[in-house]
Amino acid sequence: MIDKTDLKFLHRCVELAEEALEAGNEPFGSILVSADGTVLLEDKNRVVTEQDPTRHPEFEIARWSTQNLIAQERAAATVYTSGEHCPMCAAAHGWAGLGRIVYASSSTQLSEWLSEFNNGLIPVHPLPIQEIVQNIVVDGPVPELAEKIHRLHRRFYVRSSGGNSNLDS
């Protein structure tokens, strides 16, 4: 169940996604929050600018958490993210032993948007997190935030397609 605190962190993820977009990357942003509500790490997508397809914020959070938190702290933490983890990030999350995931938009929604943008398929199947990670608590999507994420993705693909008019609306 998503509450006011969750929404506050998800709104920040949307802001981070917009920052990623403004920097020339796909709009994804994520936050790692401790059990007591302390923000431990914020990150955003850097795939395009760093020319590294693994520079997803969720993957960075998993990596950082294993280097900076003990297993119990990782298990009690929550990852908030603008978009549901891809299979790579879900696996990293599971291997790191991180706790709950809360996302604004789903990988199913992203696949639909990419089809809408005539961008074709993503390189991996958009599997739900629960098909990758066992015994994980996952909450999302959040419809009003998912629409904001949709608009950010539209802006990214309009820009990357050179202003294709069928996406400008």
Side-chain angles (χ1 to χ4, degrees):
M1 185 74 170
I2 295 175
D3 63 22
K4 284 183 184 181
T5 300
D6 295 329
L7 288 173
K8 176 184 85 167
F9 290 126
L10 285 174
H11 279 283
R12 178 63 183 140
C13 291
V14 173
E15 291 171 359
L16 290 166
E18 189 159 15
E19 289 175 18
L21 176 66
E22 295 307 319
N25 292 293
E26 292 176 284
F28 293 96
S30 302
I31 302 172
L32 178 64
V33 178
S34 70
D36 70 3
T38 302
V39 174
L40 300 171
L41 182 68
E42 292 185 343
D43 200 22
K44 53 189 166 265
N45 187 286
R46 289 183 239 142
V47 168
V48 175
T49 56
E50 295 190 14
Q51 298 180 7
D52 179 347
T54 67
R55 293 308 303 260
H56 296 195
E58 305 87 356
F59 196 84
E60 296 296 326
I61 284 173
R63 180 180 289 125
W64 182 90
S65 73
T66 63
Q67 297 168 353
N68 294 281
L69 302 174
I70 62 172
Q72 293 85 352
E73 291 170 322
R74 292 192 304 270
T78 300
V79 174
Y80 293 92
T81 188
S82 61
E84 183 177 12
H85 292 24
C86 72
M88 173 185 72
C89 294
H93 186 107
W95 285 115
L98 286 161
R100 179 177 177 232
I101 300 171
V102 183
Y103 61 84
S105 62
S106 71
S107 51
T108 299
Q109 289 171 312
L110 178 61
S111 292
E112 291 168 359
W113 300 337
L114 293 178
S115 293
E116 170 190 336
F117 307 148
N118 297 318
N119 190 48
L121 299 174
I122 56 177
V124 295
H125 290 289
L127 300 172
I129 295 165
Q130 300 92 322
E131 288 191 32
I132 309 292
V133 183
Q134 299 180 48
N135 303 314
I136 185 89
V137 176
V138 179
D139 289 304
V142 178
E144 63 273 16
L145 293 178
E147 187 50 41
K148 289 180 181 182
I149 297 298
H150 182 199
R151 288 192 300 270
L152 292 176
H153 280 282
R154 178 184 302 277
R155 284 177 46 205
F156 176 81
Y157 286 102
V158 164
R159 185 181 302 161
S160 66
S161 69
N164 184 342
S165 62
N166 69 341
L167 297 178
D168 288 335
S169 57

